[in-house]
């Protein structure tokens, strides 16, 4: 089996290194000092589960990779629309695109029975640009429950969690999903094939939709947001509205707000990825996490006043951060 990782950042390099030690032929598409370090010394993973090293092939040119069986997308969601020329050289007729992203994916309504089947979510697929770059028929969803970070070029610190749930948009138990999942398990990761991955999407979104924008607006850590009475109440309101939107589309996450909050508190003095992006002057990637949910709320006529206010504030912050 041949797997390419497009966007070999913290999660991408961790997945690629894990697959490589399972004997998969892995290609990491990276750049800069990170690429150079991987070429010279491979990927070194430091983990409470045990350190390990892998030597996947690495390049900055997808043409050097050629067709593969699976492309694992470690890109940010706002990079998907421009990914077409990078992905194209790595495709054959059955290549899958495994999208490891937070929030609502561009394929959300693909093959979803009901009145919205085939509808485009403009916030994450503006004008169909992402669907054109990443064909829906190739999409496999992925929800990441692992936490990693790049501590130096070519060096990944695995903080917690090894589960990356995957699933077909139509919920079928496909051979292509099982093939990838088996390789992930052989590499030491958990990779359940979920019959309803949208439920996992909303479970993770419950936390992301509140903590990510609030952290960027306040510069607070997860623990700081939980400790402050005002922001704690704001998080609860945002989670309740999010669950109402999910229910309008037939999804009922089996995780309570209290349990989701407790999980966030355990993370401690951690800066969300959105806050880290803000501090680096990079895009905040809130379209998929927040704006898309507001769009879906409008589609289903669900009132989400708190989400709308936070979305407006975060949008203004994004404009100032990126010069928009």
């Amino acid at each position: 089996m041949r797997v390419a990782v497009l966007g070999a950042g913290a999660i991408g390099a961790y997945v690629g290194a894990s697959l490589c030690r399972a004997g998969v032929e892995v290609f990491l598409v990276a750049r800069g000092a990170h690429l150079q370090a991987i070429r010279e010394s491979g990927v070194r993973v430091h983990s409470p589960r045990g350190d390990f090293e892998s030597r996947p092939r690495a390049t900055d040119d997808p043409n050097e990779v050629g067709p593969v069986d699976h492309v694992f997308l470690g890109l940010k969601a706002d990079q998907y629309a421009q990914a077409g020329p990078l992905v194209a050289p790595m495709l054959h007729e059955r290549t899958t695109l495994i999208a490891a992203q937070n929030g609502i994916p561009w394929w959300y309504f693909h093959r979803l029975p009901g009145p919205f089947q085939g509808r485009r979510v403009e916030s994450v697929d503006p004008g169909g640009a992402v669907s054109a770059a990443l064909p829906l028929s190739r999409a496999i969803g992925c929800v990441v429950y692992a936490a990693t970070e790049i501590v130096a070029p070519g060096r990944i610190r695995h903080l917690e969690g090894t589960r990356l749930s995957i699933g077909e948009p139509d919920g079928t138990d496909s051979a292509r999903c099982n093939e990838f999942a088996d390789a992930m398990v052989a590499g030491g990761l958990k990779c359940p094939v979920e019959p309803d991955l949208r439920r996992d999407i909303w479970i993770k979104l419950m936390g992301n939709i509140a903590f990510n924008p609030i952290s960027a607006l306040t510069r607070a850590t997860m623990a700081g947001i939980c400790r402050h009475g005002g922001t704690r109440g704001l998080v609860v309101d945002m989670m309740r509205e999010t669950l109402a939107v999910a229910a309008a589309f037939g999804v009922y996450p089996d995780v309570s707000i209290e349990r989701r909050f407790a999980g966030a508190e355990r993370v401690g003095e951690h800066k969300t990825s959105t806050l880290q992006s803000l501090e680096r002057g990079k895009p905040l990637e809130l379209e998929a996490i927040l704006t898309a949910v507001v769009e879906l709320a409008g589609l289903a006529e669900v009132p989400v006043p708190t989400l709308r206010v936070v979305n407006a504030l975060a949008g203004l912050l994004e404009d100032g951060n990126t010069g928009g």
Side-chain angles (χ1 to χ4, degrees):
M1 187 171 73
R2 288 164 55 90
V3 175
V5 177
L6 180 58
I11 285 293
Y14 177 59
V15 167
S18 299
L19 288 170
C20 187
R21 70 172 176 169
V24 175
E25 189 176 4
V26 176
F27 301 83
L28 302 185
V29 181
R31 59 186 180 181
H34 191 49
L35 169 61
Q36 187 61 34
I38 295 171
R39 280 174 166 166
E40 293 176 356
S41 306
V43 178
R44 290 183 246 178
V45 176
H46 305 279
S47 170
R49 294 168 52 88
D51 299 347
F52 68 93
E53 294 184 11
S54 290
R55 287 188 169 268
R57 301 183 192 182
T59 181
D60 58 0
D61 182 3
N63 288 289
E64 295 180 359
V65 176
V68 298
D69 301 301
H70 305 279
V71 177
F72 183 89
L73 296 173
L75 303 171
K76 298 290 188 181
D78 56 14
Q79 299 174 307
Y80 282 7
Q82 290 77 44
L86 297 174
V87 168
M90 300 187 290
L91 301 180
H92 59 57
E93 64 275 10
R94 296 182 305 279
T95 305
T96 71
L97 302 174
I98 300 171
Q101 70 160 95
N102 287 324
I104 301 297
W106 87 100
W107 54 262
Y108 191 84
F109 288 118
H110 177 55
R111 302 179 71 179
L112 178 66
F116 301 110
Q117 181 170 344
R119 189 180 183 98
R120 186 168 66 233
V121 183
E122 285 293 330
S123 301
V124 294
D125 189 11
V130 176
S131 295
L134 307 174
L136 289 165
S137 62
R138 297 182 181 274
I140 289 176
C142 178
V143 178
V144 178
Y145 293 98
T148 58
E149 62 182 5
I150 298 176
V151 293
R155 292 178 58 192
I156 307 298
R157 177 178 291 129
H158 170 230
L159 302 171
E160 62 176 356
T162 59
R163 181 160 65 100
L164 290 87
S165 299
I166 64 172
E168 292 282 0
D170 65 357
T172 55
D173 185 21
S174 69
R176 64 185 193 172
C177 275
N178 283 292
E179 177 186 61
F180 184 78
D182 288 347
M184 292 278 277
V185 171
L189 303 178
K190 296 178 181 177
C191 190
V193 178
E194 298 290 351
D196 184 9
L197 192 70
R198 291 175 181 84
R199 183 186 66 87
D200 284 63
I201 287 171
W202 285 100
I203 288 173
K204 188 168 185 187
L205 192 52
M206 283 174 65
N208 288 147
I209 200 170
F211 288 101
N212 286 50
I214 291 174
S215 69
L217 289 164
T218 64
R219 311 303 201 270
T221 64
M222 299 277 281
I225 294 169
C226 292
R227 281 194 302 266
H228 188 272
T231 51
R232 189 179 184 94
L234 182 60
V235 168
V236 170
D237 289 343
M238 294 178 74
M239 286 186 177
R240 284 175 177 161
E241 291 179 6
T242 300
L243 288 174
V245 178
F249 291 96
V251 181
Y252 301 90
D254 55 358
V255 175
S256 68
I257 289 176
E258 292 75 17
R259 182 178 169 189
R260 199 67 183 83
F261 224 118
E265 286 183 299
R266 286 195 299 270
V267 174
E269 302 297 339
H270 170 71
K271 294 182 179 181
T272 68
S273 59
T274 303
L275 177 53
Q276 292 178 48
S277 294
L278 177 69
E279 293 176 341
R280 295 168 185 162
K282 294 183 177 181
L284 305 184
E285 201 189 7
L286 289 176
E287 290 82 7
I289 292 173
L290 176 55
T291 309
V293 177
V294 173
E295 179 182 341
L296 293 187
L299 188 62
E301 299 183 346
V302 175
V304 287
T306 312
L307 294 180
R308 289 187 181 279
V309 168
V310 175
N311 187 49
L313 294 172
L316 180 58
L317 177 65
E318 174 81 274
D319 287 348
N321 189 52
T322 59

